[in-house]
Amino acid sequence: MEFVPIFANPNETPFRGLYAVRYEDMPEGENSWSQFIDKLSDAEFRRSFIQARHANLLVKGYFGTYTVSEASNRVLDEFLDITDELADAYQNGIQELILLLNERFKPLDNQVVSEELMRSKAKPMNPKEPWVRLYAVKVSPDLYIFSGGTIKLTQYIDQDEATKHEKAKVDRLRQCLINEGMYDRDAYTELEL
């Protein structure tokens, strides 16, 4: 397992900002962030994802009725909004990024207020009920490790295979960090990238 700086200074210790995880079983040069970016920026992926769920979830579904094209455009807009917002915050300085990370990332389980290596989810600010989700483990208030992201078209995470898969990925990351004894920010001071 490796950590790849996304919105972070890899020369700063202890680590602060947003990092992606790269497992040994991932293709060379890929990490959780690059896979997320490749997936949601791909119009063909968005359309096939939405077409597979259109009849069940986007025709009088939880979020209303959408055509495949409308839904694909909405996902693209949300994806660009949140990734641009993260990039802009980082360009304005690490403190602004950390404020944004803490504002956007909330506990994955709404019943859990605080836990060691908290599983977290983030979504764009707009629209009121956005579909794009980012998942990460919150190591500390200034360090998040990104596990992946997807399109959430259901009310609950366990109602669709895509969100269940992302939940499994954030659970895997959390368990790997626990197994490595990386419970808090101090454990990341001696790592080399």
Side-chain angles (χ1 to χ4, degrees), residues 13-49:
T13 55
F15 291 171
R16 296 188 312 158
L18 182 65
Y19 283 77
V21 65
R22 183 186 184 300
Y23 296 108
E24 293 76 25
D25 60 358
M26 289 180 163
E28 185 67 32
E30 289 190 18
N31 59 62
S32 57
W33 184 258
S34 67
Q35 290 177 339
F36 169 71
I37 295 295
D38 291 348
K39 185 169 63 172
L40 287 188
S41 63
D42 182 351
E44 188 175 314
F45 168 82
R46 289 191 315 273
R47 289 186 65 78
S48 65
F49 183 97

Side-chain angles (χ1 to χ4, degrees), residues 6-7 18 33 36-37 40 74-90 97 100-101 103-106 121-127 130-135 146 149-150:
I6 303 305
F7 298 112
L18 182 65
W33 184 258
F36 169 71
I37 295 295
L40 287 188
R74 177 179 167 162
V75 168
L76 179 61
D77 289 344
E78 290 181 20
F79 164 71
L80 293 173
D81 284 349
I82 196 161
T83 54
D84 287 350
E85 186 177 26
L86 288 165
D88 290 347
Y90 182 63
L97 174 69
L100 180 64
L101 291 172
E103 180 182 303
R104 286 283 171 270
F105 280 94
K106 303 298 179 200
K121 63 185 174 201
K123 52 190 173 184
M125 188 180 333
N126 293 308
W131 297 345
V132 172
R133 293 293 189 276
L134 285 70
Y135 299 97
F146 181 78
T150 194

Side-chain angles (χ1 to χ4, degrees), residues 1 23 171-182:
M1 176 173 56
Y23 296 108
D171 287 343
R172 175 187 180 192
L173 173 57
R174 184 175 185 273
Q175 192 57 54
C176 285
L177 295 173
I178 289 171
N179 293 347
E180 294 293 324
M182 303 179 86

Side-chain angles (χ1 to χ4, degrees), residues 115-171:
E115 71 177 350
E116 196 169 72
L117 299 174
M118 186 181 313
R119 298 171 310 147
S120 303
K121 63 185 174 201
K123 52 190 173 184
M125 188 180 333
N126 293 308
K128 185 178 179 188
E129 294 282 340
W131 297 345
V132 172
R133 293 293 189 276
L134 285 70
Y135 299 97
V137 172
K138 179 181 180 179
V139 175
S140 69
D142 58 359
L143 177 60
Y144 289 79
I145 302 177
F146 181 78
S147 64
T150 194
I151 304 163
K152 182 177 179 279
L153 298 176
T154 58
Q155 185 175 7
Y156 301 107
I157 198 167
D158 291 329
Q159 292 176 311
D160 185 63
E161 287 305 313
T163 48
K164 282 198 284 192
H165 178 72
E166 292 304 322
K167 182 180 177 190
K169 286 170 54 179
V170 76
D171 287 343

